[in-house]
C-alpha cells in the first residue's frame, strides 16, 4: 500500500519596490518558518520571496509553481494605501503601466492576458481565512480590488494555473503612535493563524 503524499502550501512574499523600501512580507517569509516550521499537521510549507518585477512573473514565479506543483498557494504582499489586512477575492485582467517595478520597468501591455476574460475569482476560501486572521486581534477584511500591480498579476497567474490560490494584502508598517495601522507583530500573528487554517482545510 502506497503512503499518501503530504500536501504542500506555497507561501510567498515580495521584495521591496518603488514606494515600499521596507516590505513587511519579505520579513514574514523569514519569520514564518520559525513560527510554523516547515510542516503543520501533515501539511508542508514552502516559503519564498518573489522579485517585484514584471519579468519575474515568468522567470521566477511561474517556474516555482511548475517545479513545486503545490496543493495551494497563499501569496502575501504590501499595499501602502491599506489600513487593514485584506483578503483578496479576485484578480483583474489589467496591468498598470505608469508605475515601474523594482527594475524600473513597466509591463508591455495594459492587460495581463490577451483574452476576453476580465476577472478571476480566488480559489481558496476567503472568509474562513479572514476570520482566522481576526482571531489574533488583527483588523482583516475581504477585498474585491487587488489593484493592477504585481500583486494582482501574481494572483491572476496562480488562479489560472489551476492551483487553489489566494492573495493577502497587508498594510505598510505604522509610522508613529497615532498611526492606526497594525504593527508587524500583529501582522505576523494574523499570517500564522491564517496559514494554520489553510493547512487545516487541506488535510
Amino acid at each position: 500500500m502506497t503512503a499518501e503524499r503530504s500536501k504542500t502550501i506555497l507561501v510567498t512574499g515580495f521584495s521591496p519596490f518603488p514606494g515600499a523600501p521596507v516590505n513587511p512580507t519579505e520579513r514574514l517569509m523569514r519569520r514564518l518558518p520559525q513560527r510554523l516550521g516547515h510542516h503543520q499537521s501533515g501539511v508542508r510549507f514552502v516559503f519564498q520571496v518573489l522579485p517585484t518585477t514584471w519579468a519575474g512573473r515568468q522567470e521566477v514565479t511561474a517556474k516555482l509553481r511548475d517545479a513545486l506543483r503545490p496543493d495551494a498557494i497563499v501569496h502575501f504582499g504590501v499595499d501602502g494605501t491599506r489600513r487593514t489586512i485584506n483578503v483578496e477575492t479576485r484578480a483583474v485582467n489589467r496591468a498598470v503601466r505608469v508605475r515601474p517595478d523594482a527594475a524600473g520597468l513597466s509591463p508591455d501591455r495594459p492587460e495581463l492576458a490577451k483574452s476576453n476574460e476580465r476577472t478571476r475569482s480566488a480559489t481558496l476560501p476567503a472568509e474562513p481565512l479572514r476570520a482566522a486572521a481576526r482571531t489574533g486581534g488583527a483588523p482583516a477584511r475581504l477585498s474585491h480590488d487587488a489593484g493592477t500591480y504585481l500583486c494582482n498579476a501574481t494572483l491572476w497567474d496562480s488562479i489560472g494555473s489551476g492551483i487553489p490560490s489566494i492573495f493577502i494584502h497587508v498594510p505598510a508598517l505604522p509610522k508613529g503612535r497615532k498611526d492606526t495601522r497594525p504593527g508587524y507583530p500583529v501582522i505576523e500573528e494574523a499570517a500564522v493563524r491564517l496559514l494554520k487554517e489553510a493547512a487545516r482545510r487541506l488535510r
Side-chain angles (χ1 to χ4, degrees), residues 154-189:
T154 302
L155 178 58
W156 174 273
D157 293 340
S158 289
I159 295 169
S161 73
I163 300 168
S165 304
I166 204 159
F167 198 101
I168 314 299
H169 261 129
V170 306
L173 300 180
K175 296 182 178 180
R177 292 183 178 180
K178 294 184 179 180
D179 192 331
T180 60
R181 289 175 293 189
Y184 177 79
V186 176
I187 291 172
E188 182 181 299
E189 183 63 28

Side-chain angles (χ1 to χ4, degrees), residues 75-167:
H75 295 296
F76 287 88
V78 65
D79 184 340
T81 69
R82 310 291 175 106
R83 309 297 298 182
T84 68
I85 293 170
N86 285 253
V87 179
E88 303 296 348
T89 60
R90 70 172 191 170
V92 296
N93 190 11
R94 292 180 57 202
V96 64
R97 303 185 71 187
V98 297
R99 186 179 179 190
D101 64 13
L105 302 176
S106 298
D108 295 330
R109 56 179 188 261
E111 70 280 341
L112 297 172
K114 292 181 178 180
S115 72
N116 294 326
E117 189 178 11
R118 299 180 63 184
T119 65
R120 289 176 178 173
S121 296
T123 44
L124 281 176
E127 175 53 33
L129 298 184
R130 182 201 68 86
R134 286 176 62 93
T135 61
R141 300 176 179 175
L142 298 184
S143 167
H144 305 293
D145 183 7
T148 54
Y149 196 48
L150 279 153
C151 297
N152 173 72
T154 302
L155 178 58
W156 174 273
D157 293 340
S158 289
I159 295 169
S161 73
I163 300 168
S165 304
I166 204 159
F167 198 101

